[in-house]
Amino acid sequence: MILRMNNKQFTNTKCLKKIYPAHLDRLKTEFDQILDDSQYQYAIIFSGAIKHSKMDDNPYPFRANPYFCRWLPLIQHPNCYLVYQSGKKPILIYFQEKDFWHKSVEFPSSYWVKYFKVIIVSSIKEVSPHLPSNNKECFFITDDLVDEKYTNGINNINPINVINILNYSRTTKTKYEIECLRAASKRAVSGHLIAKNKFKNGASEFDIHLSYCKATNHSENELPYKNIIAINENASILHYQHYMKNKTNNPSSFLIDAGACVNGYAADITRTYAFKNNEFQSLIDAMDKVQQEIINLIKIDITFIELHLNAHEKIAKLIQQFGLANGSIESLISNKITNTFFPHGLGHFLGLQVHDVGGFLENSQGKKIQKSKQHPNLRLNRKIEKNQIFTIEPGLYAIDLLINKAKIDGTSKMLNIEKIAWLKPYGGIRIEDNIRVLDEGVENLTRDAFAERY
Ligand SMILES: [Mn+2]
């Protein structure tokens, strides 16, 4: 499918219009099965409510319930309800507040509208008559604790057997979802290209962040997660949360972990750059090669932890090659030296949530896959299946806290403190792509999006 994108929206409505019905059919079939197998007649999915700070009427940014967005691309629509009964046209209770303080949402008018019976309400009080009268026949899906005024007396909130089925299913994507994720990657890449340029011109973290938002046409609250914009040693802080307002006198490295959204589906992309063509650039190049070698190993039916363990082997080789520590590959792994430099997981599912659900679900009945003791930060250990979408993000950092821990653990003799001191001003490296599993090999959403722009 050739994607002709509207520059402002980064989506191709014509294309989505064609593939949305099949996506909806899959959801209906899934919910028909859930309802048939249960004592419930109706599934009610709430889009979410706006929350306010306690002492003020200042609202927190709104995040729509992902279980709701999976049905409908309504990401800025609080207080909406989807009511589904087996075999029936789904009902959308569409909240269009009459309020002179805020701008009301537009009247719904897109490719998806004809698949729903739309009921417009202008207050929460108006919702109740449109919900099924017998609460016991309903279950209610929300991603948050919500006030009783929204649940309309329904007690069956997020029944665990239903959530397990939905979470398990959410891990393989439909064509519609893949297209949204593809578009999200393209949108994020627009920001990444500007950000790289800004860094090369000596801009501050804050300036880079603003340029990224502008290029992706996202306000800060619309981003799928807070941009990580880290210059120099800040790149060693995995979830660095600030934006330095001042320019750095001696820029040497730049780590950017930043995404974008399309219809609620997220991109999650990381790149690392050196200011000069030097040894740190060689380390980035070596890591880039490692990352792509790992991606080449992806195939159906292996488990994700196999890839993660392979990443540890490859990173052990990098540690040897660049002289950051001494010892055999086996001893660097068994003494957790690789964990010292690479303390996070190799990747996670991606979808309506940046760290999407179901990474440890063995089946739709909720059986859990055990977490690895040596790799507790790994967020995904499923068998790899077609049309799963996940990130591959190996990293290597000079983190004081972990280097000091190695001293306590007695493995610090293996570390080459002098070489680590060389790495420290650069912070570290992470390279992260968004990957879709195919029958054979993968589609790399991220590298495809970058390639389109060169
Ligand atoms: Mn990630």
Side-chain angles (χ1 to χ4, degrees), residues 128-147:
S128 185
H130 301 294
L131 292 177
S133 52
N134 186 351
N135 286 338
K136 291 204 167 63
E137 291 183 339
C138 308
F139 66 79
F140 191 93
I141 305 279
T142 169
D143 79 329
D144 205 353
L145 298 166
V146 285
D147 196 279

Side-chain angles (χ1 to χ4, degrees), residues 225 239 257 268-270 345-350 354-355 379 391-393 430 432-434:
Y225 59 96
H239 287 173
D257 183 342
D268 179 5
I269 299 173
T270 310
L346 177 68
H348 52 83
F349 280 138
L350 184 71
V354 176
H355 302 134
R379 296 172 196 259
T391 67
I392 294 289
E393 48 180 309
R430 178 163 64 256
E432 175 178 31
D433 288 349
N434 302 168

Side-chain angles (χ1 to χ4, degrees), residues 145-284:
L145 298 166
V146 285
D147 196 279
E148 274 177 20
K149 73 176 174 191
Y150 301 111
T151 55
N152 198 49
I154 301 167
N155 291 321
N156 310 309
I157 295 174
N158 296 339
I160 188 67
N161 55 334
V162 173
I163 293 293
N164 282 332
I165 294 167
L166 297 179
N167 286 358
Y168 189 75
S169 171
R170 274 175 58 181
T171 58
T172 55
K173 268 59 178 181
T174 63
K175 271 189 184 165
Y176 164 81
E177 292 178 298
I178 292 161
E179 190 52 44
C180 290
L181 286 156
R182 211 179 262 143
S185 251
K186 290 173 201 251
R187 188 172 189 168
V189 161
S190 301
H192 275 264
L193 293 174
I194 295 281
K196 176 187 179 185
N197 222 304
K198 280 266 168 185
F199 166 66
K200 295 280 180 182
N201 286 302
S204 70
E205 291 174 350
F206 187 55
D207 194 10
I208 295 172
H209 169 67
L210 294 178
S211 302
Y212 183 94
C213 289
K214 193 162 184 222
T216 52
N217 207 31
H218 270 317
S219 73
E220 187 159 312
N221 289 334
E222 291 162 355
L223 293 166
Y225 59 96
K226 196 173 156 59
N227 281 348
I228 298 169
I229 306 282
I231 290 177
N232 294 356
E233 55 268 58
N234 293 337
S236 74
I237 302 160
L238 299 181
H239 287 173
Y240 174 64
Q241 71 277 41
H242 302 296
Y243 306 114
M244 295 254 289
K245 306 286 195 311
N246 297 333
K247 282 185 176 185
T248 322
N249 289 332
N250 56 336
S252 54
S253 67
F254 173 41
L255 186 152
I256 169 169
D257 183 342
C261 268
V262 167
N263 290 338
Y265 290 86
D268 179 5
I269 299 173
T270 310
R271 287 293 181 267
T272 310
Y273 303 103
F275 195 73
K276 289 184 190 145
N277 194 0
N278 54 14
E279 194 183 356
F280 184 65
Q281 181 64 57
S282 310
L283 187 54
I284 294 174

Side-chain angles (χ1 to χ4, degrees), residues 197-416:
N197 222 304
K198 280 266 168 185
F199 166 66
K200 295 280 180 182
N201 286 302
S204 70
E205 291 174 350
F206 187 55
D207 194 10
I208 295 172
H209 169 67
L210 294 178
S211 302
Y212 183 94
C213 289
K214 193 162 184 222
T216 52
N217 207 31
H218 270 317
S219 73
E220 187 159 312
N221 289 334
E222 291 162 355
L223 293 166
Y225 59 96
K226 196 173 156 59
N227 281 348
I228 298 169
I229 306 282
I231 290 177
N232 294 356
E233 55 268 58
N234 293 337
S236 74
I237 302 160
L238 299 181
H239 287 173
Y240 174 64
Q241 71 277 41
H242 302 296
Y243 306 114
M244 295 254 289
K245 306 286 195 311
N246 297 333
K247 282 185 176 185
T248 322
N249 289 332
N250 56 336
S252 54
S253 67
F254 173 41
L255 186 152
I256 169 169
D257 183 342
C261 268
V262 167
N263 290 338
Y265 290 86
D268 179 5
I269 299 173
T270 310
R271 287 293 181 267
T272 310
Y273 303 103
F275 195 73
K276 289 184 190 145
N277 194 0
N278 54 14
E279 194 183 356
F280 184 65
Q281 181 64 57
S282 310
L283 187 54
I284 294 174
D285 293 341
M287 181 59 90
D288 194 73
K289 201 164 154 257
V290 160
Q291 195 248 18
Q292 296 199 62
E293 282 169 6
I294 297 165
I295 291 170
N296 285 336
L297 295 174
I298 295 170
K299 59 176 182 202
I300 291 173
D301 279 349
I302 64 167
T303 53
F304 196 84
I305 200 164
E306 291 176 54
L307 297 174
H308 180 80
L309 297 176
N310 190 279
H312 272 265
E313 265 180 46
K314 290 189 161 56
I315 287 167
K317 275 184 205 152
L318 278 192
I319 289 168
Q320 273 186 337
Q321 197 186 324
F322 284 81
L324 290 159
N326 311 307
S328 65
I329 303 288
E330 295 73 34
S331 68
L332 289 171
I333 294 171
S334 63
N335 287 298
K336 297 192 179 180
I337 298 294
T338 49
N339 297 68
T340 301
F341 290 100
F342 172 45
H344 58 76
L346 177 68
H348 52 83
F349 280 138
L350 184 71
L352 286 161
Q353 283 156 264
V354 176
H355 302 134
D356 216 16
V357 290
F360 284 89
L361 274 180
E362 191 172 318
N363 58 32
S364 61
Q365 289 88 53
K367 189 175 178 213
K368 291 254 165 62
I369 297 164
Q370 260 210 323
K371 281 207 165 194
S372 154
K373 279 209 179 91
Q374 184 159 1
H375 304 282
N377 295 332
L378 185 61
R379 296 172 196 259
L380 167 58
N381 191 10
R382 279 271 293 273
K383 242 190 192 174
I384 289 173
E385 285 174 56
K386 187 181 174 179
N387 289 332
Q388 284 177 343
I389 295 194
F390 47 70
T391 67
I392 294 289
E393 48 180 309
L396 192 154
Y397 319 81
I399 303 173
D400 281 340
L401 205 79
L402 298 179
I403 289 157
N404 290 335
K405 190 176 171 291
K407 284 179 189 157
I408 296 163
D409 295 347
T411 51
S412 64
K413 272 178 272 154
M414 297 174 77
L415 298 174
N416 182 349

Side-chain angles (χ1 to χ4, degrees), residues 88-106:
K88 298 265 172 68
K89 190 172 192 173
I91 298 168
L92 170 65
I93 302 175
Y94 190 82
F95 187 79
Q96 206 179 25
E97 195 167 29
K98 289 200 181 92
D99 172 7
F100 56 81
W101 296 101
H102 305 101
K103 181 171 158 55
S104 289
V105 294
E106 311 254 318

